[in-house]
């Protein structure tokens, strides 16, 4: 069963506008973590932001914030004041427990390709 | 600030050949991971290692083996490469078991002809 769903294959946004990238997840584990990664055309995976399931406040990291709605099982990434350099693939991921105690695996969504237009 | 280093960056193999992808991290992380990324898709976990001396299968382990040589190094071996293993391979490591913020290497682009 798919555990991370990103419903927007591609998005086009004007520079300086805010953009929201959607992510919904499915888990029965009360303790979990949600992550967003950026993959520019050069191919590397860059960590952006983390939200724990017990965190009371939405996570923020500079221009990135995570709109965490636990009851709806959504963890949308908000990028404020978008820049041309924000053009990339964005992946939502969820931490789930591994078979070995202490191991924590990530499950990734299929990604959203964001294009910022000048 | 090396972080996670993967070698090689590119490789072309013929069907049936074997090779080992190398990964090393200098962040003193306990856990290490191997993923593959196919075109237009997210990453899928092949194998992981929670600590030195332990490894376990991920979502797509068939056709691969791993070795956690020491705390720094985690290698991925293809014993008999197949065209279906054409992909980009990423190694990652994480600093703690709780948050598990994984930091990735630059990737290895592998083509199997």
């Amino acid at each position: 069963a798919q555990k991370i769903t990103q419903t927007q294959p591609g998005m086009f946004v004007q520079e300086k506008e805010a953009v929201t990238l959607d992510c919904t997840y499915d888990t029965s584990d009360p303790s979990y973590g949600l992550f967003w990664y950026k993959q520019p055309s050069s191919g590397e995976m860059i960590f952006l932001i983390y939200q724990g399931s017990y965190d009371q406040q939405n996570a923020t990291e500079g221009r990135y914030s995570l709109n965490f709605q636990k009851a709806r099982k959504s963890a949308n990434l908000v990028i404020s004041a978008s820049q041309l350099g924000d053009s990339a693939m964005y992946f939502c991921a969820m931490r789930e427990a591994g078979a070995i105690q202490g191991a924590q695996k990530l499950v990734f969504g299929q990604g959203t390709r964001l294009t910022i237009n000048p | 600030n090396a972080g996670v280093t993967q070698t090689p960056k590119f490789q072309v193999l013929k069907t049936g050949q074997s090779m080992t992808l190398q990964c090393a991290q200098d962040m003193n992380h306990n856990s290490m991971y191997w993923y593959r990324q196919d075109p237009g898709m997210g990453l899928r976990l092949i194998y992981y290692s929670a600590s030195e001396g332990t490894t376990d299968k991920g979502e797509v382990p068939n056709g691969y083996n791993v070795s956690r040589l020491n705390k720094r190094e985690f290698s991925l071996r293809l014993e008999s490469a197949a065209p279906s293993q054409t992909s980009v391979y990423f190694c990652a490591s994480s600093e703690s078991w709780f948050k598990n913020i994984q930091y990735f290497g630059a990737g290895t682009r592998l083509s199997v002809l």
Side-chain angles (χ1 to χ4, degrees):
Chain A
Q2 191 170 9
K3 296 187 176 182
I4 295 286
T5 303
Q6 294 182 252
T7 57
Q8 306 153 309
M11 285 193 70
F12 295 84
V13 174
Q14 288 299 118
E15 189 180 8
K16 300 182 183 177
E17 289 183 350
V19 56
T20 298
L21 304 181
D22 294 341
C23 173
T24 59
Y25 60 92
D26 182 29
T27 182
S28 57
D29 188 346
S31 176
Y32 54 90
L34 297 154
F35 304 77
W36 279 92
Y37 284 85
K38 173 183 179 181
Q39 186 177 43
S41 57
S42 52
E44 71 268 33
M45 295 288 289
I46 302 168
F47 165 72
L48 295 178
I49 195 166
Y50 166 84
Q51 180 83 42
S53 59
Y54 294 120
D55 292 343
Q56 295 296 312
Q57 293 186 323
N58 287 343
T60 60
E61 291 285 350
R63 293 186 300 112
Y64 304 108
S65 61
L66 201 152
N67 184 0
F68 181 47
Q69 298 187 42
K70 196 170 183 177
R72 296 180 58 189
K73 294 190 175 180
S74 74
N76 298 339
L77 177 70
V78 180
I79 306 174
S80 63
S82 58
Q83 303 171 354
L84 296 178
D86 294 333
S87 293
M89 282 288 288
Y90 288 81
F91 292 97
C92 180
M94 180 174 65
R95 180 192 74 224
E96 59 178 13
I100 302 174
Q101 187 173 3
Q104 305 277 307
K105 302 181 289 183
L106 287 185
V107 176
F108 284 81
Q110 293 193 312
T112 295
R113 182 172 297 281
L114 176 64
T115 302
I116 307 298
N117 295 315
Chain B
N1 291 341
V4 179
T5 303
Q6 291 182 235
T7 55
K9 287 185 168 47
F10 301 94
Q11 185 70 49
V12 179
L13 293 178
K14 294 181 180 178
T15 297
Q17 287 185 319
S18 62
M19 80 161 295
T20 300
L21 279 63
Q22 307 285 354
C23 176
Q25 53 93 8
D26 63 3
M27 295 177 281
N28 201 36
H29 289 169
N30 283 322
S31 299
M32 297 185 73
Y33 311 81
W34 277 105
Y35 293 89
R36 62 178 286 173
Q37 183 180 29
D38 298 313
M41 298 185 66
L43 279 66
R44 293 184 294 169
L45 183 65
I46 305 172
Y47 271 93
Y48 63 101
S49 170
S51 62
E52 187 178 351
T54 67
T55 62
D56 203 0
K57 296 177 181 178
E59 182 185 354
V60 288
N62 291 345
Y64 305 96
N65 286 301
V66 290
S67 295
R68 185 72 183 269
L69 304 170
N70 48 56
K71 190 172 185 178
R72 290 188 64 248
E73 298 173 290
F74 188 39
S75 62
L76 178 72
R77 183 160 178 84
L78 287 70
E79 289 291 350
S80 179
S84 61
Q85 294 178 305
T86 294
S87 190
V88 180
Y89 291 84
F90 287 97
C91 177
S93 68
S94 62
E95 84 285 15
S96 73
W97 69 269
F98 180 66
K99 278 192 174 183
N100 190 32
I101 297 174
Q102 295 186 18
Y103 297 93
F104 286 79
T108 294
R109 188 173 296 274
L110 175 67
S111 294
V112 183
L113 306 177

